Every structure is written in C-alpha cells, then in structure tokens.
Amino acid sequence: MIHATALGITTILLLLPAVALLSGWAPLRLRDRTRQARTLGWAALWLYLAAALNAVPRLVGAPSTFGMACTGAGALCAVGAAACFLRASTMGSMR
C-alpha cells in the first residue's frame, strides 16, 4: 500500500511537471531560459523513472532478485538526474 501511495505522489510531483517542461511550458522565472527548463524536465523524468523502478516490482510482488536489479537501475537513473541538474545549473551560470 505504501508503494502505491508513494508512486501516486511521485507521479503528481515529478511526472506532470516533467512533461510540462519537456513540452515547452516553463514557469515565469524560466521563460527566457527554455533550454535550462527542458534540462530540468529531463532531470525530473529521470527521478520519476527511478521512483517507478523502485515501486513497481514491489507492487506486483516480483522476486527479490528482480527487485534488487530494479533498485540498481533506479540508482543509475538517479545519477542521470544528477547529471541533468548539474548541466542545468551550468547553463544558468553561462548567461
């Protein structure tokens, strides 16, 4: 039950803004920096993928070895998100 709740909250907090940022919408403070906004969208999408990879195997009752493999893949997704956040922060300082 806790994994389903966490996945639902993560969907609202990460997936919806990520899709909005990737489709071209940006908050007022990022309107003039669309490339930076899209990079932040990719970072949020990577974080959502990490959360989904950790929650879905536990929701469906997958074997523990498969769950651990998904957790490792989720950690790699978190590294991808960190790389996107780093890239977005350097884009902001280049202006």
Side-chain angles (χ1 to χ4, degrees):
M1 181 68 180
I2 188 75
H3 297 294
T5 304
L7 190 59
I9 291 170
T10 306
T11 299
I12 293 169
L13 293 178
L14 287 176
L15 186 60
L16 297 178
V19 170
L21 287 169
L22 290 174
S23 67
W25 177 87
L28 290 176
R29 63 189 172 117
L30 290 177
R31 292 271 162 101
D32 58 338
R33 299 179 285 192
T34 56
R35 286 186 53 209
Q36 186 178 14
R38 288 188 186 215
T39 305
L40 290 172
W42 279 110
L45 199 60
W46 278 111
L47 282 178
Y48 176 74
L49 184 59
L53 280 172
N54 281 309
V56 171
R58 287 160 180 81
L59 283 173
V60 298
S64 62
T65 55
F66 183 73
M68 290 303 291
C70 287
T71 299
L76 291 176
C77 291
V79 170
C84 288
F85 281 129
L86 182 64
R87 183 170 183 222
S89 70
T90 59
M91 282 180 184
S93 64
M94 294 167 113
R95 283 189 58 146

